[in-house]
Amino acid sequence: MKLTRREFLALSGKATAGAVIFAACGIPERELIIQSPIDLPEDLVKGEDAWFATVNPDGRNGDGLIVRVMQGRAKKIAGNIDHPINIGKHSPSDDAELQILYHPDRLATPHFRRTHDGQLSPINWAQAESRLADVLNTSSMTVVTNPQRGHLGWVARRFAEVRGGKYMAFDPLEQGVLHTAVKNVFDADVLPDLDIAHASTVLSFGADWMRSWVSPTRYSVQYGHLRDADHRGYLIHGESRMSQTAASADVWLPTKPGTEGDVALAIAYVIIDEGLASASEVDAFTSSLPAGILNAYRPGDVANRSGVPLEMLLKAAKRFGDSRPSVAFGGGSAGAHVHGTFNLSAIYALNTLVGAVGSEGGVKINPASPVADLTGSATADSFEAWEEEIAHWRAGNVETVIIRGADLVHGLPDSVRVAEALRQVPNVVVFGKIMDDTMAEATIALPETTFFEEWGTDIPEPAPGYQTVGFQQPVISAADSGMAVEARGFGDELLRIAGGEIGAGSMRELVERTASDLYTTGRGSVSAPNATLFRNGALQRGGWWDTGSTGSSQSFSFPNFIRGKTEAEFSDTSGLGLGIDLTLIPFVSSLDNGRLAATPWAQQLPDSISSATWTTWAEINKDDAASIEVGEGDIIFIKSVVGEIEAIAYPHPGVAPGTVGVPIGYGKKEGGRWAEDRGENILSILADHKDEETGALAWAATRVKIQKTGRRMKLPKFEGTVEAFPIEPGVPVLVVAPGETAHEAEEANHHEYQQLFKNDDSRAEIGRDRFGEPIEGSDSHD
Amino acid sequence: MASLISSIRERNKKTPTWLKVLVPVLAVGGLGVVVVTAALVAFVVTGWLGQPVPVLGFDQTFDQPIDFPHTVHAGTGQLDRDPSLPELGLDCTFCHRTVTTQANAGVPPVQQCAFCHQSIGPESNSQLQILRDHAGIDGSDKEPINWRRVHRMPDHVRFVHEPHIRYLTANPSAIGNAGSEVTGAASVEPSMVCSTCHGDVAAMEQVKQVEPLKMGQCVDCHRDNGAPTDCAACHH
Amino acid sequence: MVTQAGFGNHKWAMAVDVDKCTGCQACVLACQVENNIPLNTQDRFERNRSMAWIRVERYWEGEFPNVKARFIPIMCQHCENAPCEPVCPVFATYHNAEGLNVQVYNRCVGTRYCANGCPYIVRFFNYWEPVWPESLRNHLNPDVTIRSRGIMEKCSFCVHRIRRGVRKADSEGRALEDGEIRTACQDACPTDALVFGDLKDPNSKVSEMKKSDRYYTLLPALGTSPNVFYLAKVDEDREVAHAGAEGEHDDGH
């Protein structure tokens, strides 16, 4: 009998219940059983603590990962210390991947229905194979994945090519505008790396680059170095929303939505005006701009337009121009406007003005991909292209659609009515791990393996300034994963169906081919006497990189980007009833773009700013909220021209007036027990405004009406779970000025605190508690 | 009810009725108290103080899915069924491979048993047949064997074999359940130290727990050998 | 304290550079994964009973547009003079020779006195039996005990990683190196705001950080002498109250 002490005490408390006690002391049968596995997995022989290196092609910018495997089970993910992108660190979204692997609602077998009206019912793989052979034997086919830089994307693209079909990539918050701006300014096909670590002043716009954007783990690591005590750099961040990055910045420029480009040019104006840049730098910057154009961006005017206080703007400009090395970059909401390309081009152009291109602490142009098959860059097709494609689907022009890793139904605004269009496509083949809104429209739903069980490659974008290839290898066996799931890899399955047409038999073969190609270059991080040992070496390290193969910082002259639209344009809110007009800023929180919605870990991870979890909330300015009598916990309507959703209001002092921030990824109708019908989908109500140049969805250009529903609900958030510490200045976050010691700061704070007590009324001015409420009344001080 | 009371009242008219009711009630109640107390005492003894007492069905050994004889594999005497043949005398670490490096000693995979037993052993042996079925030798589906754990630490104890084996091989005087030829040596092989906690497994037809493996025993040994007695050394 | 087999040769401590914390929550989830902390369901958040051995607190300072958010990670401070220890009637929490405030789950009877005594509010009580759907149990860490209902739990400084690191160094017959033992939160922290190490090693990174001008501890007036210490946030815009004397504003460069 194995009773814990606790159970024993609990039972003796119930001892009056008499003889039934003994019935409760059975031995838990399961715990006494040890399974002896059939085969001899490597990790059993080598020991229990095997860590295998791999990469996740769906994850954050190809971060190198290591997975702890014990007795065939994946236990923990950590960063690969050797990998140049993330240098041993990982992001919370990597951790959550484990719960996709072991999700109790994993799709277990293929499912099929004859027509869209039928029920999906399970079939076996042999049946699925014959169905697939039927439906893929057509040239009227579209293959859809999420943006894939590695061989998975290559296979999907090639499959579509050899069958005469079409390949498209989908990402709800696409980076097309960013790529175009980078092409405009640096004439580069791949994104450049940003040497934040060695910069003295960092100026960023729009992109919440510590949380999401192109390479959050890498740039967070770099931010850590930016804050190194011996050469502490300065971060200026312009964004319409108080994001995690804005919160970490030394100065937050609260730009009104769409004015980021204006602010960038105003900064350029100040730098030139004050003579902070050399003549050659000024020439390089102004040569391709129409003469005198900068006069339209005088700081005073821009301060009015953008809502950034003039003093703040001037200070930022001087710091950026003066304290070098400086680097400027932007993305995210700054590019998600009708003039997004202008905005981002203006921001990146600033780098020429401070000589940051190709220099330490600046922008590092990345080299081309070392792998012949791959460009090392991937971006989703534009919203415009998607509207066109979906019109074809709706018209019945496409016979078969294959979708993998892209939840179109959840990710596209309701205005394109994608679910309806999918019903006009006779064969919808969807690969996935867990049911999602798009798979719910499938005629053939196929269970897919996770990245833990697959072979593949990934080329990070941005690369770390030199050529880098990440290798993905199976770290656990799909057959013995502990899950009763008959899943297959998307890449392997396409290769099997194509039967050699593509030019490869399996993903493994592609990995081996890539490794041997890299071996023949004779350079890089792995040196080995033959190709096989080279491959093993690369797999053990999780990849290959060659620090010598940097990109060339060629001389370039960017084309005049001040053309087309240079002013923001927002969707209309007239006719949406009562309430206040705010600009909607969707943002990425714990769920990524919704990919992790199925995992409880991602769902319950507090948001950085609001600490909210599990459901959709809306960050709204306190005064805006007060004007419609909304407080925290009030459920509000958010209405746009396309539709409306409900969200729980979370007013806080960091929200810029006139904006409302809502996290994306919530509101899936399907997605397993933890995602289904949880929160609401903000992407569904985005207006169909597009960036003029690229056709990308201008997802920050939707204006909404906010109304009170009259209902309330407690916002599930971590904040308030524990009581606030007694708040006086410097507790618990002590702030010092440069050169000031902690002790001096504590003394000064204490002095200030006591001064405040002399006049009791002023105590309300001391600060705010963790709820953002001013501390007042209830003087419990002793 | 009324007839019952009246019949009691009929019988011994001198004794008051309330007494006639009270005595049997007290007797039954007293008996009940004795039963409950005895049950509690048994409970305390079995569940809390000592090695589980087998009377209540808590056994220190189990029937395994296969009657695996440690005697044949690890013993060094003569085989029972054919005394002209020696027992195999395999080293413990031949099968329990991770014992010197890891927390778990490791139960060998089916494949390892099958290395030998796909050819060794008669087909008439029903126990070997079970193994061959699990290993898929006869073309059947491969399947793990669900051995039942005999030596089990409570969930809140993190026992790691590696340092124990490392210490005992270097300090044989601390080895228990072993003869002086072992404890007197300067250093011994890993398989010589197992007996300290597991007894002479090589002599067991069916493995059973011989040591109580309670915390008192752990702490005594730790104290005697200068190992940490900090709670967090094992409980975390 | 008796030193046994090298036990007690270390004094574990953690330095938190508040200036580097971005509030990204990587530590929070890494800790949850490593230490088998139960899933925080929506219901738990609504009842204010969610658990986090390490949490990132966010404080607002100032008014829009000069508003600032300040982040600070808070975990068990492993106080040398811990208020939680003397109040435990069953000695389930105590201070060990290596500077850890240890919680012994199998001793704990759930009085919750310790949580009431803790000024940092880092102790969490299991109001419910932790539940993982069967397949999710595959990812549980076998090195860490799963706490049942009625037990208090808190940051353990990843004591299982400490034990493993010490064991590994022992078996290889060498001394522990600085940085060899890393806690799960430190592993995840992208900015290296969290640094774990041995204060008895004068050359370790934590020992070095302890000498920083920005060194401070939380609620020092309570005299708890924590083994977790913080380096203050730097803000160039802060007005130095007694600036007159040094009068020098270092702009960093």
Side-chain angles (χ1 to χ4, degrees), chain C residues 60-93:
Chain C
W60 294 114
E61 205 180 285
E63 290 292 333
F64 183 86
N66 289 307
V67 62
K68 285 181 170 164
R70 307 280 193 211
F71 296 110
I72 183 167
I74 292 178
M75 72 300 280
C76 172
Q77 305 286 304
H78 292 273
C79 310
E80 288 291 301
N81 187 11
C84 56
E85 289 166 7
V87 295
C88 181
V90 294
F91 302 101
T93 184

Side-chain angles (χ1 to χ4, degrees), chain A residues 1-3 5 8 11 15 21-22 25 29 31-40 44 46-48 71, chain B residues 39-40 43 46-48 52 58 98 102-103 107-111 142-149 152 155:
Chain A
M1 180 178 68
K2 300 292 177 190
L3 262 189
R5 180 183 158 91
F8 171 76
L11 286 171
I21 290 171
F22 294 101
C25 318
E29 184 77 15
E31 286 190 37
L32 294 180
I33 287 176
I34 14 173
Q35 273 203 338
S36 87
I38 300 160
D39 295 323
L40 218 52
L44 256 185
K46 285 175 76 180
E48 62 175 33
Q71 313 220 334
Chain B
L40 267 178
F43 181 69
T46 57
W48 183 243
F58 308 119
T98 56
Q102 297 298 331
V107 170
V110 184
Q111 202 188 38
K142 294 180 182 182
E143 194 181 359
I145 302 174
N146 291 332
W147 298 104
R148 300 191 68 189
R149 187 184 286 276
R152 179 176 176 271
D155 293 343

Side-chain angles (χ1 to χ4, degrees), chain A residues 251 253 299-300 303 308-318, chain C residues 66 237:
Chain A
V251 174
L253 310 176
V308 179
L310 180 61
E311 191 190 336
M312 205 184 244
L313 185 68
L314 292 175
K315 186 179 161 188
K318 283 175 192 157
Chain C
N66 289 307
D237 296 332

Side-chain angles (χ1 to χ4, degrees), chain C residues 158-189:
Chain C
C158 279
V159 62
H160 56 286
R161 287 184 174 218
I162 297 178
R163 302 308 308 159
R164 195 195 304 152
V166 169
R167 207 157 59 220
K168 184 157 183 280
D170 274 1
S171 76
E172 289 167 14
R174 57 177 172 80
L176 265 178
E177 284 165 35
D178 183 39
E180 190 179 342
I181 297 175
R182 299 166 61 83
T183 59
C185 51
Q186 177 190 17
D187 254 352
C189 180

Side-chain angles (χ1 to χ4, degrees), chain A residues 6 68 73 75 89 102 228 232 315 319 604 608-609 614 650 678 719 732 734 736 740 742 768, chain C residues 19-20 23 32 40 42 58 63 109 135 138 140 143 186 189 213 216 233 235-238:
Chain A
R6 160 147 307 282
R68 182 185 183 200
R73 302 287 184 274
K75 294 289 181 189
K89 300 302 183 179
Y102 293 124
D228 277 346
R232 188 179 191 275
K315 186 179 161 188
R319 177 87 197 202
Q604 48 114 78
S608 303
I609 298 295
W614 285 110
Y650 180 81
R678 185 168 282 291
E719 190 177 53
L734 184 67
V736 297
E740 190 185 24
R768 296 176 179 283
Chain C
D19 200 26
K20 290 189 173 188
Q32 185 165 17
N40 287 322
Q42 181 166 354
R58 184 264 300 120
E63 290 292 333
V109 296
S135 60
N138 279 318
L140 293 179
D143 294 344
Q186 177 190 17
C189 180
D213 279 351
Y216 77 104
K233 173 89 191 158
D235 187 341
E236 295 186 17
D237 296 332
R238 176 182 155 86

Side-chain angles (χ1 to χ4, degrees), chain A residues 106-176:
Chain A
R106 279 276 297 272
L107 190 67
T109 60
H111 282 65
F112 172 74
R113 65 177 149 210
R114 208 163 290 278
T115 67
H116 281 283
D117 303 323
Q119 282 280 324
L120 275 175
S121 48
I123 54 175
N124 62 31
W125 266 104
Q127 291 165 313
E129 281 177 13
S130 73
R131 302 269 178 220
L132 280 174
D134 291 347
V135 306
L136 296 181
N137 201 10
T138 170
S139 63
S140 159
M141 166 170 59
T142 307
V143 183
V144 181
T145 69
N146 52 342
Q148 287 285 347
R149 295 172 300 256
H151 273 102
L152 199 64
W154 180 81
V155 167
R157 185 183 295 275
R158 287 280 299 146
F159 184 83
E161 262 170 35
V162 298
R163 294 280 165 117
K166 188 173 180 190
Y167 170 77
M168 291 188 81
F170 175 73
D171 187 2
L173 305 184
E174 65 202 85
Q175 304 289 0

